[in-house]
Amino acid sequence: MTTTTSSLVHSPAFLKGDEFSIDTFALLKQDGSLFEGAAPPDLDRDKALRIYHAMVFTRVLDERMLAAQRQGRLSFYMQCTGEEAAVIGSAAALDDEDMIMAQYREQGALAYRGFSCDEFMNQMFGNERDYGKGRQMPIHYGSAKLNYMTISSPLATQIPQATGYAYGQKLAGDGHCTITYFGEGAASEGDFHAALNMATVHKVPVIFFCRNNGYAISTPAVEQFAADGVAPRAFGYKMRVIRVDGNDVLAVYQATMEARRLAVEHNQPVLIEAMTYRLAAHSSSDDPSGYRSKKEEEAWREKDPILRLRRWLESCDWWSDEEEKALQERLRREVLETMKAAQKRPAPPLDSLVTDVYDTPTPQLNEQLAKLEAHIRLYPEAYPKSASRRSAEGSAGAPGAENGQGGR
Amino acid sequence: MTTTTSSLVHSPAFLKGDEFSIDTFALLKQDGSLFEGAAPPDLDRDKALRIYHAMVFTRVLDERMLAAQRQGRLSFYMQCTGEEAAVIGSAAALDDEDMIMAQYREQGALAYRGFSCDEFMNQMFGNERDYGKGRQMPIHYGSAKLNYMTISSPLATQIPQATGYAYGQKLAGDGHCTITYFGEGAASEGDFHAALNMATVHKVPVIFFCRNNGYAISTPAVEQFAADGVAPRAFGYKMRVIRVDGNDVLAVYQATMEARRLAVEHNQPVLIEAMTYRLAAHSSSDDPSGYRSKKEEEAWREKDPILRLRRWLESCDWWSDEEEKALQERLRREVLETMKAAQKRPAPPLDSLVTDVYDTPTPQLNEQLAKLEAHIRLYPEAYPKSASRRSAEGSAGAPGAENGQGGR
Amino acid sequence: MANLNLLQAINQALDIAMAADERVLCFGEDVGGFGGVFRATSHLQEKYGKARCFNTPLVEQGIIGFANGLAAQGSTPVAEIQFADYIFPAFDQIVNESAKFRYRSGDLFNVGGLTIRTPYGGGIAGGLYHSQSPEAYFAHTPGLKVVVPRNPHQAKGLLLAAIRDPNPVLFFEPKRLYRASTGEVPESDYQLPLGEAEVIKEGSDITLLAWGAQMEVIEEAAELAEKEGISCEVVDLRSILPWDVETVANSVLKTGRLLISHEAPLTGGFAGEIAATIQERCFLYLESPISRVTGLDTPFPLTLEKEYLPDRLKVFEAIKASVAY
Amino acid sequence: MANLNLLQAINQALDIAMAADERVLCFGEDVGGFGGVFRATSHLQEKYGKARCFNTPLVEQGIIGFANGLAAQGSTPVAEIQFADYIFPAFDQIVNESAKFRYRSGDLFNVGGLTIRTPYGGGIAGGLYHSQSPEAYFAHTPGLKVVVPRNPHQAKGLLLAAIRDPNPVLFFEPKRLYRASTGEVPESDYQLPLGEAEVIKEGSDITLLAWGAQMEVIEEAAELAEKEGISCEVVDLRSILPWDVETVANSVLKTGRLLISHEAPLTGGFAGEIAATIQERCFLYLESPISRVTGLDTPFPLTLEKEYLPDRLKVFEAIKASVAY
Ligand SMILES: Cc1ncc(C[n+]2csc(CCOP(=O)(O)OP(=O)(O)O)c2C)c(N)n1
Ligand SMILES: Cc1ncc(C[n+]2csc(CCOP(=O)(O)OP(=O)(O)O)c2C)c(N)n1
Ligand SMILES: [Mg+2]
Ligand SMILES: [Mg+2]
C-alpha cells in the first residue's frame, strides 16, 4: 500500500537536489584548537591517548610495511595514511564488543581494539600463526576475540552482511551494534543499496560509515557519482545521516557516539560520511602520480589528522614532545622486530589447504590432500614451504613478492 | 577528489529526511475537471483520443485475457488495470522512436505505439507468429519496429540497460531518449542503484519511470522501503525528480514531456514516480485477498484513471456515450476473434529450439536438433505440437495451462 | 505419518526447525504474512512472529548478504529465493562470500547456519525464467553444499539436515512436484544424511542416476526398460555437492553402465562431472560410454518445453542404446 | 612484427578495433584516464576521447547492464571487469541477460556486440580473490562465447575476433602472463577463429589439453615427458564455449589418451565436460582413463599457492600414470 502523504501541486516542478544542503560537522581546527562554539566531546585523557596511540601505531606500521613491500619482503600492502582519524575516532566511540565489518583500509580500528603488532605481522606474512592460515593477501586481518570480521576483498559485500549481523544482535537483545566501513567507491555497488534499504525497513542497529577519501584507485569521486558526496543517499531510505570532517578525530568520535546511541537505543540505522583523503597510493601496486597532482596531495597533507590531534592533546597538557619521541621510537622498534620474527616463521601446514572449506574435510578433499602429500614427497625441492616443514625447519618467506603487477 | 562544498557546523545534527518534502503533481480531478490553478497540457483531440483508445483497449484486453486464463486457454496473464494512465500517459509524451524498456505490466505503452491485437495474441499463445518464437511466457512482448524492448522476467535488469541504451543514443546524436519502467518493488534491486548513479555520472538521456503501485506481489510498499516512496532516492544521485499522480493521465503526460525535454536537450536523466495502485491481482497466479482488504481496493477503484480521462474528454466534447459503446463493442469483438485465431495457429517449428542461441547454431546444437528430430520420428504421438506440425496441421494449444501453481 | 505434498513437507520441516531453535529465521520476498508465493512458509509468521519470519525488500543480493551476516552472528537463517532463476543477483554473495567465509578467516568466522531454499526446474510452462536448474553453477564452488530432494519424505528430512548442517547449504526444491508429489511423511523431527546418494531400486544391467524431479522420469524409464528385459539400478544422488562418489562408483562397478539425467543444459551440467569421475574410477568395468540425457544447450523454451525436456522416452532410448553398445 | 607482451597485444587489439569502428567503446573501473589497473587500456582515452573510453562507477552489475543496453542499441561495448574474481556481481546480467537476449526476443534484439574482458588466474600471490579461474561457470550458459588466449599473438587475434563476433563473448586474460609472456605480434588487423582449438605440437602417445596460462605448464610437462620417451600431442582449446569437440576427439582417436589441466577446482571444472564428451566419442579408443590435473576443491590459497597449483610436475606425473595405466 502506498505510503506517501505528499501534498498536491499543479505545475510540474522538478526537484534538483539543491532543496537542502548537508553540512559538515567539525570540532577541531588544524592548529589543535576548537572551533568557536564547538564543545569538546566527553573524552578523558586515557581514552584520548588510547586513540592517539592507535593512530601513531597505524602510521608507523604503514610506513614500515610499505618499505618492506618495496624491499620485496611482502607481496602487497595498503596504507590507512590520512584516514586514521576517521577510522580510529569511530572505533573508539563504540563498545569494544560491537562488531566491526571493515573494507580493508581500517587497520587503525583493529589496532585500537588491541590487535598486537605480532598479530598484524603473522597475517601479513601468512605464516603458521596467521589466524587466516595464510590464505588471504596481506592486510586481510580478522579477530574473533576483538569482534573484527575477517576482511574480504570483494567490495561492499560486508555492507548487507552488517545489516544482517546487526539484525541478529537486535534479536539477541544484547545491546550491541555493528559498524561497517566502506569507501565512497564501494558505495556504488548494488550491495550498498540493498544494505541501507533493508536496514531502515527492518530497523537494525547498524552504523554505515563511509570513508569518502576522494578516490577509488584512480577514479576520482566526481566520476563515481554526481551528487554532493554519499550522504544525500540516506534520504532515499529515510535514514539518519551526518557528514563529518574525517580528519577531525573529535568530531568523528562524537558523531559516532551519537550514531551508536541512535542505533542501540532506537534501532535507528545511521549513515556517517567522513570527508577525508587517501594520502598514500591506493595500494603498493598503485602509483597515484598517473591520476592526481602533487599539489592536491600537499593540500591534504596539511590537514594531517594525527598532527591535529597531537596539537589538541598538547593543548590539554596530555602529551609532550618527549612522550612523542619515546612512542615513535618504541613503535618503530616493535614493528621492525616483530616483522623480522614473523617473516621467519614457517608456512601453515599442508593440510591447511583443505581444512575450513567445510567444518570437516570431505572424503574427496582428504583424497586430494593425500595425493598432494605423496607428490610432494616425490619432489621435495620443488615445494620448499611445505616439504621443508616436514623436516621441521625453514622459513615461510614472503608470499610471492616476486610479481610487480598492478591492480590490487 | 572530494566534491563537496558543504559548510561547517559544530554540533552533531543528524538529518532525518524531513528537511524537504516531495509534492505530487496533479492536474485532473476524478470528476474530469481540472484542479484550480491547473492548466491542461498541450494535447490535441487526436492525441487525446489515441491515448484514450489505448487505455480502453488495454482494459478490455486485460479483462478478456484474464478470463481466458481462468478458462484454461492461457497459462498465465498479468493485468495493467489501474495503471493505464501512468503507462500510456508517459508513452504518449515520447517520440515514437524513443526506446521503451519496460518491466512487464506496460502493455498499454505497447498498445499506444500500435502493437496490434493479433501481435499481442500471437505472443500470448506462443504460436508460430510470435516474434519471440514461443519461448517466453505470455505478456513478454517485444517489437523492434515499435522500439519496445522484449520483456525479460528478471526484475530491474532493464534499468541499467536503459542507461546504456540511452548512452548509445546520445553518442549517435539522433535526438532520442530511452524510458524504462519498473515497479517500486524492482527499485529495491541493486541494478536500480547502478543505473541511476551511472545515468547522472555519464549524463545520459534516460527517463526512469517508477510505477509505485503499492505492492510487489504481496509485499506492501511499507515493507519495501521506509522512505516516502522512491522519489527521494533521486537526491542521492543529484537527479531531477518529480512525483506525479499516476492515475491522472494529463499530469503524467505533461511531466513526461518535460522530463523528455530535460533528457534530450540537456542530457539530464530524470526520475518520475507515478503514484498509483495495482487494482488487479499481481498475476493470474495470485490472489490478493490473502494480503489486502477489499476496502482498500475499493478506495482505489474509485480513482479509476480511465473514467477520469473519459470525463475530461466528455467535458471537452471530444467523446460521447455512443462512441464509448461502439468502441467497447468493437474492441471486445476484436479481442475475442483475434484470440480464437491465434490459439489455433501451430507452434513454432522444432528448429526454433536451437536458433537464436547464437547468431547461427553451433555444430553441437545442430547435432542435438538432429537427435531430437530422430527421436520425435520414433514417438510422434508423444510430441503432438512438433510431430503434428510435420504433417502440416494441428493446433498449438495453450502452452501448459495445466498447472495451477502460484508465484509468477 | 500423514500424507503430505512436497510443499507441506517443507512447511513442516521449517515449522519443526523454528520450534526447536529460536535462532532459526525464515525470510525472503513474500515469505512473511503471505507465506511465500508457493506458500511454503505459510503460517510461520503467525506462529513465530514478524521478527523471525518476514518479507524482505525485493533484492536477492541483499537477502543473501543479510543472511550471511546473520549466520556469521550465530543465527540460523533460512533464506528463500523466490525462483532459482532469480538467484543470480545473489551469486557473488553465495560464491564469493558464503562459500569462502570459513576458509578465508581460518575458521574464526563461518556462515554454517545458512540455508538457501529455492524452487527450481521446468515442466510448469514457465519458459526461460521460471524453469532453470542452476545446480551445476554452485557445484563448482567448494564450501557450499547443494541438496535436491525427490519427494515429500526426502524433502522434510533433507531440509532439516540442511538447516542444522554447520555449512552453508543450497536447497533446490523441485517446484513441479510441489503439489504433484505426495506421500507418507513421519510427523517426527528426523534428518536424512547430506552427501549420501540412495539406491532406490537395485538392478544389474545399467545404473540410472538423477536427482530431484528427474527421479520420477528415470524411474518411469526404468519401468519401460524392465519390460524389455533390461534390469536398471536406480540411484538418487540427493546431494550434488559434496557428492557420493562411492555409492555411484559401486553401482557402476556392478552394472558396468551409467546413464545420468538432468534438466539443465548438457554442456557444463553436473552429469559431466559425474561422468568424468566415474570413467576414471570404473574405467575397466565400463561396457559402454557413460550416457547423458539432459536439456538442450539452449535457454529454457516454452511452447516446445516437452520437446526440450529429457523425458522418460529419451531416457528409455538412451538406456537401450547403452545396453546395445 | 614487433615483440610485445600480452598486455601490449591486448592494448593494440583495442586500439585497432576502436580506430576501425567508432561504435567500439571501452569502459570499466579505472579504464579511462589511468588506462586500467593493468594498463590494458592505456592511451585509448587520449586517442578516442572520454565518450568512447571512460571510467565507470564501481559497480560490476551496472557495468554489464550498461554494456548490455549499449550493445542492444547497436554499439560495440568492450567492458572490463577488473579481476575475474569480481565478475560475480554481474553474473545475473551476463547469465540471464547477455546470454539470453537474442533467444528470448526471437532475434528482434541482441547484444552480439558485447565483449567482456577480464584478467583471470593464479600464480601472482593473489590469494582467494585475485586468482580465480571462473570459466566453467560461464561455460554452462548457452548463448555466451568464452575465449582464453595463451600468448600475445593469440590474444590480439582472438580479441579482435571476439569484439567483432556477433555474439556476446567473455574474454579471459591470463594475468600471470600479462608481462611475462612476450612474442612476435603482427602489426596488422588480424583475427583468429573462435570455437576452434589448435594443435600446437603433434604427438602420438597422449593428448594434453589446456587453455590460457596453463598452456605453458602442459608444454613444459610435455618436454619432461619427451625426455622419458613419451610423445605428447599438445592442444590449446582456446574457446571454452562453444568448444571444438572435433579437434580434441580426433587427437584422442589418434593418441588413445587424454589429459586435461586447468587451475580452477576439479569438481564442476570444464575438464569434466570435456572428459564426459570424449569418453563418449572415443570410448573404444581410450587406452586409459581421461586424466584431470586441476586445482584442489578449495578456494584459492596464498602461502601454499605453489602446492595448490596444477604445475608441470603434477602434469608430468599424471602423464606417466596415464601411459603406464
Ligand atoms: C567487487 C570488487 N570490484 C572491484 C574491486 C577492485 N578494487 C579494489 S579496491 C578498489 C577501489 C575502492 O575504492 P573505495 O571504495 O573508494 O575505497 P578506498 O580504496 O578509497 O579506501 C577497487 C576497484 C574489488 N576489490 N571488488
Ligand atoms: C530478480 C527477480 N526477483 C524476483 C522476481 C519474482 N517477481 C516477479 S514480479 C515481483 C514483484 C514486482 O513488484 P513491483 O516491482 O512493484 O512491480 P508490480 O508487479 O507491482 O508492477 C516479483 C518478486 C523476479 N521476476 N525477478
Ligand atoms: Mg575511496
Ligand atoms: Mg509494485
Side-chain angles (χ1 to χ4, degrees), chain D residues 64-86:
Chain D
I64 304 302
F66 182 90
N68 277 331
L70 259 173
Q73 178 269 340
S75 298
T76 306
V78 184
E80 177 178 303
I81 297 293
Q82 203 163 79
F83 285 85
D85 313 67
Y86 304 137

Side-chain angles (χ1 to χ4, degrees), chain D residues 237-304:
Chain D
L237 191 61
R238 300 202 291 192
S239 281
I240 311 301
L241 191 72
W243 68 286
D244 184 351
V245 181
E246 288 314 309
T247 298
V248 178
N250 287 337
S251 175
V252 177
L253 290 177
K254 183 176 83 174
T255 62
R257 294 185 185 84
L258 175 62
L259 179 154
I260 314 155
S261 184
H262 57 62
E263 277 184 23
L266 177 79
T267 300
F270 200 66
E273 177 59 38
I274 298 169
T277 302
I278 296 299
Q279 64 85 30
E280 190 166 5
R281 287 285 290 258
C282 308
F283 188 72
L284 299 173
Y285 295 80
L286 281 173
E287 290 173 36
S288 66
I290 298 168
S291 171
R292 295 185 285 168
V293 185
T294 70
L296 304 177
D297 277 328
T298 71
F300 207 100
L302 184 83
T303 304
L304 299 178

Side-chain angles (χ1 to χ4, degrees), chain A residues 126 134-137 153 188-190 216 218-219 223-224 353 365 368 379 382-383 385-386 403 405 407-408, chain D residues 30 34 37 55 57-61 83 86 124 126 128 130 175 297-298 302-303 306-307 311 314 317:
Chain A
R135 291 169 183 153
Q136 291 211 77
M137 285 171 63
S153 319
S188 294
E189 292 280 7
S218 76
T219 305
E223 299 183 23
Q224 192 68 242
L353 275 174
L365 282 171
Q368 293 179 10
Y379 296 99
Y383 308 92
K385 277 184 205 168
S386 41
N403 99 90
Q405 294 182 341
R408 277 91 53 101
Chain D
D30 302 296
F34 192 53
V37 295
N55 288 339
L58 208 169
V59 53
E60 292 76 12
Q61 64 194 109
F83 285 85
Y86 304 137
I124 61 147
L128 273 85
H130 297 83
K175 63 177 171 295
D297 277 328
T298 71
L302 184 83
T303 304
K306 204 169 170 17
E307 282 73 5
D311 62 13
K314 293 182 190 172
E317 287 302 313

Side-chain angles (χ1 to χ4, degrees), chain A residues 183-185 211 213-216:
Chain A
E184 88 295 338
R211 297 181 289 95
N213 64 5
Y215 287 87

Side-chain angles (χ1 to χ4, degrees), chain B residues 382-394:
Chain B
Y383 307 93
K385 279 185 203 167
S386 41
S388 69
R389 205 182 143 79
R390 316 203 127 257
S391 52
E393 51 139 316

Side-chain angles (χ1 to χ4, degrees), chain D residues 16-314:
Chain D
I16 289 173
M18 291 183 85
D21 183 351
E22 66 169 21
R23 288 171 313 174
V24 177
L25 311 176
C26 291
F27 52 86
E29 294 157 16
D30 302 296
V31 156
F34 192 53
V37 295
F38 290 103
R39 323 310 300 272
T41 54
S42 284
H43 304 300
L44 298 178
Q45 187 178 78
E46 281 162 47
K47 278 193 170 171
Y48 302 103
K50 280 200 167 185
R52 291 182 57 204
C53 176
F54 51 90
N55 288 339
T56 61
L58 208 169
V59 53
E60 292 76 12
Q61 64 194 109
I63 294 171
I64 304 302
F66 182 90
N68 277 331
L70 259 173
Q73 178 269 340
S75 298
T76 306
V78 184
E80 177 178 303
I81 297 293
Q82 203 163 79
F83 285 85
D85 313 67
Y86 304 137
I87 202 167
F88 302 124
F91 204 75
D92 188 52
Q93 281 286 350
I94 298 172
V95 159
N96 263 344
E97 294 292 316
S98 314
K100 300 176 174 59
F101 220 96
R102 191 193 297 270
Y103 190 80
R104 73 181 179 213
S105 72
D107 205 20
L108 287 184
F109 300 98
N110 74 81
V111 295
L114 174 66
T115 303
I116 302 172
R117 296 177 38 247
T118 188
Y120 84 96
I124 61 147
L128 273 85
Y129 294 120
H130 297 83
S131 306
Q132 296 178 48
S133 297
E135 69 275 9
Y137 288 118
F138 299 97
H140 187 40
T141 312
L144 299 179
K145 295 195 173 183
V146 180
V147 177
V148 195
R150 71 173 179 276
N151 66 25
H153 175 261
Q154 292 282 318
K156 180 174 168 185
L158 288 170
L159 181 52
L160 279 165
I163 293 171
R164 289 151 180 181
D165 188 89
N167 298 286
V169 182
L170 271 154
F171 193 80
F172 286 103
E173 302 171 0
K175 63 177 171 295
R176 182 162 65 76
L177 304 186
Y178 265 164
R179 296 176 210 279
S181 172
T182 58
E184 295 297 305
V185 177
E187 260 146 67
S188 63
D189 179 347
Y190 65 94
Q191 294 177 213
L192 295 171
L194 305 190
E196 289 185 20
E198 188 185 14
V199 177
I200 62 174
K201 188 186 136 334
E202 305 220 354
S204 55
D205 295 332
I206 184 169
T207 302
L208 308 184
L209 177 66
W211 48 88
Q214 200 60 12
M215 287 309 298
E216 210 175 74
V217 172
I218 63 169
E219 286 185 77
E220 288 170 14
E223 274 175 39
L224 294 175
E226 304 278 339
K227 288 191 194 129
E228 311 248 322
I230 303 171
S231 164
C232 301
E233 178 138 316
V234 179
V235 182
D236 179 0
L237 191 61
R238 300 202 291 192
S239 281
I240 311 301
L241 191 72
W243 68 286
D244 184 351
V245 181
E246 288 314 309
T247 298
V248 178
N250 287 337
S251 175
V252 177
L253 290 177
K254 183 176 83 174
T255 62
R257 294 185 185 84
L258 175 62
L259 179 154
I260 314 155
S261 184
H262 57 62
E263 277 184 23
L266 177 79
T267 300
F270 200 66
E273 177 59 38
I274 298 169
T277 302
I278 296 299
Q279 64 85 30
E280 190 166 5
R281 287 285 290 258
C282 308
F283 188 72
L284 299 173
Y285 295 80
L286 281 173
E287 290 173 36
S288 66
I290 298 168
S291 171
R292 295 185 285 168
V293 185
T294 70
L296 304 177
D297 277 328
T298 71
F300 207 100
L302 184 83
T303 304
L304 299 178
E305 174 173 39
K306 204 169 170 17
E307 282 73 5
Y308 171 92
L309 281 170
D311 62 13
R312 64 193 178 126
L313 295 173
K314 293 182 190 172

